[in-house]
Amino acid sequence: MIYANANDWRAAPRKKVLLFGMSGLGKTHVSALLRGSGDWFHYSIDYRIGTRYMGEFIADNFKREAMKVPLLRELLMTDSVHISSNITFNNLAPLSTYLGKPGDPAKGGLPFAEYRRRQDQHRGAEVSALLDTPHFIERADELYGYRNFVCDSGGSICEVVNPDDPADPVLTALSGAALLVWIKGNDAHTAELIRRFDKAPKPMYYSPTFLTEAWDSYRAEKRVDAAKVDPDDFVRWTYARALAHRQPLYAAMAEKWGVTVTAEDVAGISTPAGFEDLVARALEHRG
């Protein structure tokens, strides 16, 4: 780790962290708080994925749909209109809409082969965006004068790394550039995340092995053909399993590559100094 202990962290002229954990537990809250202080550069992995690495895929998908409308088709063919996504830190809907859900096209689902293709695109994009972190750390300092840096990683970071491999290229690059901080939830947080997801199921990225097993198990349990799968029901059914699948991966990342803070403590942070104290305590606990 780039900070050996709490004293190193407190004395560091440049504080650099990468936050990871399930979406909804405080990564974006902390990042926005730090960014709002004016002293921290905020690098969002999901934003980078949606703009730099999947922006063309997303825009082309919009255009593909627009071409089905005669008026828009004519305007597009004559370069009379411009179609693009408007992704922001707080609105990643274009990315999640493109990623989609598998199942019945009549219910908005994608054929599984197409869904899997988009999942593969996301995996490559996420790895590239994560590996861009050291570049953005230097860019933030050299170009904008930000000494401190926070990377807000996506919830699927644990799906594209192997925390048990001491030579994992992504984790090696990240841990050499920033302190990895896991925001850990408890059972109550998990239940709340599931409740929220049930109300508004959203597309997610899954590792290929997990996705295949979930897809096969769901169809066997529900006794339904692939083309008749209810997309929302599938992602609801999968979500709790995904949380359980990811938890030990996050834990291994924290144990071998970083530190752990709790979602309760994160929720209580109101200033950058409070965050710095929280990280210091995590380093002391790691001891």
Side-chain angles (χ1 to χ4, degrees):
M1 296 189 299
I2 62 171
Y3 308 109
N5 51 53
N7 289 335
D8 282 355
W9 162 256
R10 291 187 185 280
R14 300 178 66 189
K15 292 180 170 59
K16 299 168 288 183
V17 297
L18 179 145
L19 307 176
F20 69 93
M22 280 303 302
S23 297
L25 292 183
K27 297 192 304 293
T28 302
H29 160 67
V30 172
S31 299
L33 173 67
L34 297 176
R35 181 180 74 241
S37 72
D39 295 325
W40 289 73
F41 184 91
H42 176 193
Y43 175 56
S44 166
I45 294 297
D46 285 338
Y47 180 80
R48 180 69 169 169
I49 290 171
T51 54
R52 171 64 176 85
Y53 291 108
M54 294 189 70
E56 188 172 320
F57 298 141
I58 294 168
D60 283 353
N61 193 49
F62 290 159
K63 293 172 186 176
R64 190 175 296 110
E65 293 301 312
M67 288 289 283
K68 298 175 183 178
V69 181
L71 174 62
L72 293 178
R73 176 184 175 86
E74 181 179 345
L75 292 172
L76 282 170
M77 293 297 289
T78 57
D79 292 327
S80 299
V81 296
H82 175 71
I83 295 178
S84 63
S85 66
N86 187 28
I87 291 178
T88 67
F89 285 173
N90 298 315
N91 180 15
L92 298 164
L95 175 59
S96 61
T97 297
Y98 176 75
L99 202 57
K101 307 165 190 173
D104 188 349
K107 296 180 178 180
L110 292 169
F112 189 71
E114 173 61 17
Y115 177 72
R116 185 66 176 267
R117 186 179 74 89
R118 297 185 187 192
Q119 289 271 308
D120 290 343
Q121 289 172 342
H122 190 282
R123 181 182 185 85
E126 184 162 3
V127 169
S128 295
L130 288 166
L131 290 174
D132 284 343
T133 302
H135 165 70
F136 271 88
I137 289 174
E138 296 308 314
R139 186 170 182 253
D141 182 22
E142 295 174 4
L143 187 59
Y144 301 112
Y146 286 100
R147 302 293 291 172
N148 302 316
F149 180 94
V150 56
C151 174
D152 176 5
S153 73
S156 55
I157 183 175
C158 63
E159 306 281 14
V160 301
V161 300
N162 179 4
D164 294 325
D165 178 3
D168 181 87
V170 176
L171 288 173
T172 298
L174 294 176
S175 64
L179 177 66
L180 275 59
V181 179
W182 177 30
I183 300 179
K184 180 183 180 181
N186 56 29
D187 290 344
H189 290 117
T190 299
E192 175 61 15
L193 291 177
I194 293 172
R195 186 192 67 80
R196 290 184 204 166
F197 194 87
D198 282 345
K199 289 180 63 177
K202 298 178 181 179
M204 289 176 58
Y205 172 77
Y206 311 101
S207 70
T209 300
F210 176 85
L211 174 59
T212 299
E213 291 175 353
W215 182 249
D216 291 345
S217 296
Y218 174 88
R219 290 172 53 216
E221 180 180 312
K222 303 287 184 175
R223 298 181 181 179
V224 61
D225 292 335
K228 295 298 182 181
V229 167
D230 183 313
D232 283 345
D233 189 59
F234 171 73
V235 295
R236 286 189 179 103
W237 183 91
T238 304
Y239 184 69
R241 291 164 177 78
L243 294 187
H245 162 73
R246 290 180 175 183
Q247 196 72 4
L249 298 176
Y250 292 140
M253 287 174 63
E255 179 185 353
K256 299 175 182 180
W257 299 88
V259 298
T260 302
V261 299
T262 68
E264 297 100 318
D265 287 340
V266 165
I269 293 172
S270 59
T271 64
F275 172 73
E276 292 175 18
D277 287 342
L278 181 60
V279 172
R281 292 196 297 273
L283 283 163
E284 289 171 352
H285 178 74
R286 183 178 178 90

